[in-house]
Amino acid sequence: MQVIRDYSDQEIIAALKSDRETDGAIRFIYKNYYGSLENYVLNNNGSRNDAADLIQETLVTFIDIVQQNKFRGESSVKSFLYSIIRNLWLSEMRKRNNADNRNRVFEKGKDTEEQAMVQDMVKREYQKSILDLFEKLGEKCKQLLLFVYYEDLSMKEIAEKMPEYENEQVLRNKKYKCMKSLEQMINDNQDLKTQFKNALRYAG
Amino acid sequence: MQDNFTQDSTIEQLIKLLDGELTGNEKAAAELLLQNNDAVKDRYENLVAARNAVRLKGIQQRVQSLHQQFYPLISTQQASTETAKVIKASFGSKLKMVVSIAAMFIVIISGFVLYEFSTTTNDAVYADNFMSYQLPVLRGEGSLDNLDSLFNAGNFTAVIRLTETKQALSQKNYFILGLSYLQTGNATEAINALQSLQKVNNGSESKQFADESDYYLALAYIKAGNIDQAQAMLDKIIANPKHMYYAKAKEISNGSLTILKWKQ
């Protein structure tokens, strides 16, 4: 069984910014905060499955905010996770209560850090729509773009992982092609930008 | 469908700019184009959004993978706290089988009823339904004061001691005090504190911890043996399907509270 070491808040932040340490920090968060985050959802009419989904989304949001250097540590990690899940759950409840509401509507942030969090969550709704388009790409394209933009691998490293492509130049051309396809799908989808601008208006 | 931008390779230049592959004059030319051409700027923003979405996908996959490792451990822990009954049977003829199953059901149901009746007590119902409360303290809602910190740290005796020294209590103070009394097993004082909170709420436009106080007051009544008052409070919660504790109140009211009433 894997031993999970203790992390201070500062260590969690540092670990989430470092690819090698990220998994350890996520495990620590799961071990120490899963129960109280789940309790929040259960205490508010949610099911265990709702909690499992929401906690994953909370973590994705938190990691994204940390990796974009938008978390300044003015509140504790636990409090911040709590405000994310609270916001996600409230907006989910609103969404469920209103069948016509295609987008989640978030509360206005109460201070600068929370406003940054809310803006990030609004953008995430927009990004989710883009992810739907991303899923329409071929498997090779998806894998390649993840290697480039998530794992931040060099073309040489990717060439080793994708030997079916003859050389780095072929891979580079493939990357342009994949990004062009994704961009074209985004550009052709007029609803996306309207959706984004409307959502931002709610976020305040 | 391809458009003019992709045909003339502008998009490819923008991707190179995004990826930091342009230098010198090429970079300056691309940046100038971005400044002066709104359509190009829009396309560049699309690319930035695409890159961010791919990054998000990577984070999602990573969290999902760790969740799948961690979730079975949680499920196992949860399952081990629930009673599982496994029935193994062996039968001869069909009639014998039907009679045996019926007899077994009667035995199981009788046993279950007896078991439930004997094990359902005020304290057991309270313990089954009490959920420790974590204050969702957010920046902007006031800083984490000493009382909140002590409460979140589980130091309930200190919360009670510190609250006794306060001249006037806020709604939040009353709530924290009520829950601290519950945590230390003093249902009577918990009832007093939570009733005080509800009185303040009734006279105030700003209702705080309203749903929470309904639920925890019902639990405090159960623990103190005031089943009729507990039922009245649960009925109040059940009358409002939007109440935060609607599902929990319904579950208690339909199940164990009925047995507690029989036993009164």
Side-chain angles (χ1 to χ4, degrees):
Chain A
M1 192 176 150
Q2 190 148 14
V3 177
I4 302 172
R5 78 170 178 87
D6 281 343
Y7 286 77
S8 67
D9 276 6
Q10 286 83 356
E11 285 171 331
I12 291 175
I13 303 309
L16 291 180
K17 287 180 183 173
S18 143
D19 187 60
R20 215 160 42 88
E21 287 279 321
T22 300
D23 287 2
I26 297 174
R27 283 197 188 93
F28 174 82
I29 291 173
Y30 259 94
K31 178 173 167 259
N32 289 279
Y33 304 141
Y34 193 96
S36 50
L37 293 172
E38 185 185 54
N39 268 347
Y40 176 80
V41 178
L42 296 180
N43 285 345
N44 288 284
N45 279 341
S47 67
R48 286 216 151 87
N49 285 340
D50 290 328
D53 291 344
L54 261 283
I55 291 168
Q56 286 180 73
E57 203 174 339
T58 299
L59 271 174
V60 171
T61 304
F62 180 59
I63 294 168
D64 190 40
I65 288 172
V66 168
Q67 290 184 348
Q68 291 184 55
N69 291 319
K70 287 181 186 166
F71 181 75
R72 294 195 298 273
E74 290 168 7
S75 49
S76 71
V77 167
K78 189 177 180 181
S79 295
F80 200 66
L81 290 171
Y82 232 94
S83 31
I84 295 174
I85 202 162
R86 177 171 158 270
N87 241 302
L88 287 173
W89 182 237
L90 287 175
S91 60
E92 180 64 27
M93 296 278 272
R94 288 192 196 108
K95 194 177 175 186
R96 287 183 189 180
N97 288 336
N98 180 2
D100 294 332
N101 192 357
R102 284 190 307 162
N103 304 312
R104 283 174 165 177
V105 178
F106 298 98
E107 289 190 316
K108 287 187 184 234
K110 293 177 185 66
D111 57 28
T112 321
E113 191 156 83
E114 258 199 58
Q115 272 165 14
M117 172 190 80
V118 172
Q119 292 276 352
D120 199 83
M121 289 197 288
V122 169
K123 282 181 194 160
R124 176 130 325 95
E125 291 297 299
Y126 169 61
Q127 284 171 335
K128 276 182 191 165
S129 304
I130 297 179
L131 278 183
D132 291 340
L133 301 176
F134 173 78
E135 294 300 337
K136 291 181 183 168
L137 294 174
E139 284 307 312
K140 296 287 176 198
C141 262
K142 288 194 275 189
Q143 195 178 17
L144 176 57
L145 292 181
L146 280 166
F147 282 148
V148 174
Y149 293 114
Y150 177 63
E151 297 196 21
D152 207 17
L153 298 180
S154 67
M155 279 300 156
K156 190 179 172 195
E157 289 168 315
I158 298 172
E160 285 167 13
K161 287 177 178 281
M162 301 181 91
E164 61 273 32
Y165 294 98
E166 288 168 34
N167 55 47
E168 290 175 34
Q169 189 52 48
V170 175
L171 263 176
R172 201 166 277 118
N173 292 340
K174 177 76 177 168
K175 180 190 80 172
Y176 295 141
K177 201 176 159 194
C178 296
M179 271 301 264
K180 277 181 188 173
S181 302
L182 182 53
E183 194 280 335
Q184 190 70 49
M185 283 193 282
I186 296 171
N187 200 54
D188 290 345
N189 192 327
Q190 294 300 322
D191 283 348
L192 265 179
K193 282 205 166 170
T194 317
Q195 178 191 344
F196 183 51
K197 281 172 188 165
N198 287 343
L200 273 182
R201 214 171 294 144
Y202 281 110
Chain B
M1 199 177 88
Q2 299 281 294
D3 60 17
N4 289 335
F5 279 109
T6 44
Q7 281 165 7
D8 67 11
S9 80
T10 304
I11 294 292
E12 194 166 311
Q13 284 299 99
L14 293 179
I15 295 171
K16 284 181 180 171
L17 180 68
L18 180 78
D19 294 350
E21 291 171 359
L22 294 184
T23 52
N25 289 342
E26 273 190 325
K27 188 180 175 195
E31 284 173 346
L32 193 65
L33 186 63
L34 270 183
Q35 277 176 16
N36 298 326
N37 188 325
D38 285 345
V40 173
K41 194 176 163 200
D42 276 353
R43 305 300 291 263
Y44 186 71
E45 282 172 1
N46 287 345
L47 287 170
V48 172
R51 182 192 59 187
N52 291 342
V54 174
R55 259 194 58 244
L56 188 73
K57 179 71 186 176
I59 298 174
Q60 274 181 353
Q61 285 182 346
R62 193 162 196 167
V63 169
Q64 195 174 26
S65 153
L66 287 165
H67 181 86
Q68 280 164 359
Q69 287 173 30
F70 191 83
Y71 196 67
L73 296 175
I74 301 168
S75 303
T76 309
Q77 282 168 2
Q78 286 167 348
S80 69
T81 61
E82 291 166 5
T83 312
K85 289 191 176 76
V86 179
I87 302 162
K88 198 175 176 183
S90 169
F91 302 101
S93 68
K94 280 185 180 175
L95 180 64
K96 190 179 168 188
M97 188 168 79
V98 171
V99 171
S100 300
I101 290 172
M104 191 179 288
F105 266 114
I106 291 168
V107 170
I108 289 171
I109 290 167
S110 310
F112 178 75
V113 169
L114 271 174
Y115 174 80
E116 283 291 308
F117 195 79
S118 61
T119 57
T120 302
T121 62
N122 297 339
D123 281 338
V125 174
Y126 168 81
D128 283 349
N129 293 287
F130 182 82
M131 293 169 288
S132 55
Y133 192 93
Q134 194 75 23
L135 282 174
V137 182
L138 305 173
R139 286 189 72 258
E141 287 182 346
S143 59
L144 194 74
D145 70 21
N146 196 23
L147 209 59
D148 297 356
S149 305
L150 288 170
F151 182 82
N152 275 350
N155 196 346
F156 305 113
T157 315
V159 171
I160 294 168
R161 208 169 42 236
L162 189 63
T163 312
E164 281 169 353
T165 64
K166 282 183 174 270
Q167 294 293 321
L169 298 186
S170 67
Q171 286 139 299
K172 188 178 179 185
N173 291 155
Y174 277 124
F175 180 68
I176 292 175
L177 181 64
L179 258 67
S180 297
Y181 275 125
L182 273 181
Q183 290 276 14
T184 52
N186 190 341
T188 310
E189 287 301 328
I191 291 169
N192 289 338
L194 293 170
Q195 282 178 337
S196 299
L197 164 61
Q198 297 204 326
K199 271 182 204 159
V200 177
N201 272 343
N202 288 340
S204 164
E205 281 187 12
S206 164
K207 318 275 183 214
Q208 291 189 24
F209 299 97
D211 285 3
E212 288 92 339
S213 67
D214 287 344
Y215 181 72
Y216 284 102
L217 192 50
L219 288 185
Y221 285 139
I222 290 172
K223 188 169 175 61
N226 303 338
I227 305 305
D228 289 337
Q229 283 175 288
Q231 182 68 73
M233 189 52 70
L234 292 172
D235 287 347
K236 176 189 164 189
I237 298 173
I238 294 166
N240 174 13
K242 288 187 177 170
H243 196 288
M244 201 186 280
Y245 291 89
Y246 173 80
K248 285 295 297 175
K250 208 167 176 187
E251 189 185 311
I252 301 171
S253 187
N254 290 340
S256 38
L257 206 73
T258 314
I259 298 175
L260 289 182
K261 277 194 277 188
W262 289 347
K263 290 177 91 169
Q264 265 189 323

